Amino acid sequence: HNRAGKKAEDKLAELQATLAAEKADATVLTLPESICWLFNIRGRDVPNTPFVLGFAIVPRKGKPTLYFDKARITPELRAQFADIATLADTAGLQAALRKLGAVGKHVWVDPASAPVAVLNAIKSGSDDARVIEKRDPVLLPKSRKNDAELAGMREAHRLDGVALAKFLAWFDAEAPKGKLDEIGIVTALEAFRREEPTCVDASFDTISGAGPNGAIVHYRVTEKTNRPLHPGELMLVDSGAQYLSGTTDITRTMSTGKPSAEEKDRFTRVLKGMIAISMARFPRGTSGAQIDVLARQFLWQAGLTYTHGTGHGVGAYLGVHEGPIGISPRYTLPLEVGQVLSNEPGYYKDGGFGIRIENLVHVVESPVGEGKYLEFETLTLAPIDLRLVEKKLLTDDERDWLNAYHKRVWKEIGPELKGEAKAWLKEATAEL
């Protein structure tokens, strides 16, 4: 409960109130992140995400039923859930769904994420079956992180910032020697993260793109494609970790020699877009679709763009990608206080180089506009490579934001470091 910030009983009571308001007799939850969040559980069923795999039927009144693989349902587990849910074998799920359909219950199912078999089972019960096809009712409440979840996310980003400073200092010392390759770089980053005992796993497979491989947007390095990093090339690393306290996701693009004028221009336009989102202030009711252009405008001015979303929702020690909000034309739901998002514009030159700069932010009420306006607070604490910044392209406000950000990184991460890493961070966060 201390990490979740809210008891499962309270989350269930709110969900049941939503079911009553929507005239649904029950909902079938099929997304593991919805079930994990609702019942305050985490597990190790899959890599990268602390999921427990299962299903849940939550009635409007009374106890929900959680469906797990029979082998897992021990007396201890039953006792743990005794007050909030009945545990059942997944093998019995279809019969339970058919029964709901047969008695003409109104069952809420999310067609975007539920297996077809779930819908079919309800409908096969009888012609009276009533399926309410709507977005999973847990997604929106889950996206609004409470104070305990946000405190955990801040802690995770502080731990991540320490690992990243050590990694970036190491990278800066090694890259010019010409001995690094993409896999070696990932291995080093993971080793620095694992120095922290509460780091459970990576939150996704690291994207480690040297030179032209950085221009492949969702590149995954393999033994076959593993490329050496030549001094002078740009290096793009997009990675994240699962700490017991929270989930991180960060991208940094690093210089390894003298960057070209084109590389500096593109990097700075991407940075200006990232800063524009970081500094954005907007009225309540504004969606990610409406602010997406803020991140692209400086690239557009030069006839350029990028072909991925500017940001996705992020879970609290859950999925690194979570709905129902984000920053791109497809995310039309209003942003709300407590939601955590990525802020990651980029630029990719085929066969040349790739640039992406990503921080995580969360939505807060703005001090301006009498509670009617929102803005973002940045969670990620890691320096941005100043050697790639074309200073004359920055406005005073942008430069001030960058200097303040680096000052904060030094203040929060500096004291956790020693020796060479500390000296490196001091230099990397110097004022422009």
Side-chain angles (χ1 to χ4, degrees), residues 224-235:
K224 256 202 198 102
T225 65
N226 185 23
R227 186 179 178 285
L229 172 66
H230 305 297
E233 293 179 328
L234 294 186
M235 181 71 207

Side-chain angles (χ1 to χ4, degrees), residues 10-212:
D10 297 336
K11 292 179 180 180
L12 278 163
E14 285 173 19
L15 174 58
Q16 288 177 319
T18 303
L19 295 179
E22 296 287 332
K23 303 194 169 28
D25 297 304
T27 184
V28 184
L29 300 177
T30 64
L31 286 174
E33 57 263 54
S34 294
I35 295 162
C36 288
W37 179 84
L38 185 62
F39 292 94
N40 288 341
I41 54 179
R42 298 294 188 272
R44 299 298 303 277
D45 286 1
V46 296
N48 304 138
T49 314
F51 279 169
V52 178
L53 299 179
F55 296 90
I57 297 178
V58 182
R60 178 161 54 180
K61 285 200 178 87
K63 248 191 219 180
T65 307
L66 272 167
Y67 292 86
F68 295 129
D69 182 1
K70 169 167 100 240
R72 311 181 82 160
I73 304 175
T74 59
E76 296 84 55
L77 201 62
R78 276 193 202 281
Q80 255 179 317
F81 280 101
D83 295 338
I84 54 168
T86 306
L87 301 190
D89 178 6
T90 310
L93 177 64
Q94 286 205 288
L97 295 171
R98 270 200 298 276
K99 195 169 157 191
L100 283 173
V103 291
K105 295 282 189 202
H106 292 72
V107 188
W108 183 333
V109 183
D110 184 348
S113 54
V116 171
V118 166
L119 286 153
N120 289 348
I122 299 167
K123 289 173 181 168
S124 72
S126 81
D127 296 339
D128 296 332
R130 309 263 190 282
V131 178
I132 300 170
E133 299 198 3
K134 273 193 167 156
R135 185 178 61 239
D136 177 330
V138 175
L139 293 187
L140 200 53
K142 172 163 64 67
S143 74
R144 306 175 186 124
K145 312 293 182 281
N146 60 46
D147 290 347
E149 289 170 317
L150 288 169
M153 290 296 263
R154 282 196 195 93
E155 171 66 5
H157 283 83
R158 197 183 56 78
L159 297 171
D160 215 40
V162 172
L164 279 151
K166 292 176 183 172
F167 163 74
L168 291 168
W170 167 86
F171 178 86
D172 249 13
E174 294 301 318
K177 299 177 190 169
K179 298 266 167 48
L180 297 182
D181 61 27
E182 292 167 340
I183 289 178
I185 290 165
V186 175
T187 308
L189 174 52
E190 287 183 357
F192 286 118
R193 280 198 169 116
R194 289 199 183 275
E195 288 178 18
E196 165 53 47
T198 63
C199 180
V200 180
D201 201 349
S203 54
F204 56 95
D205 292 335
T206 300
I207 296 173
S208 174

Side-chain angles (χ1 to χ4, degrees), residues 249 277 310-314 327 340-344 358-361:
D249 181 2
I277 295 284
T310 302
H312 54 83
V314 179
I327 304 173
V340 177
L341 299 132
S342 69
N343 169 12
E344 51 178 316
E358 174 187 20
N359 282 345
L360 296 192
V361 298

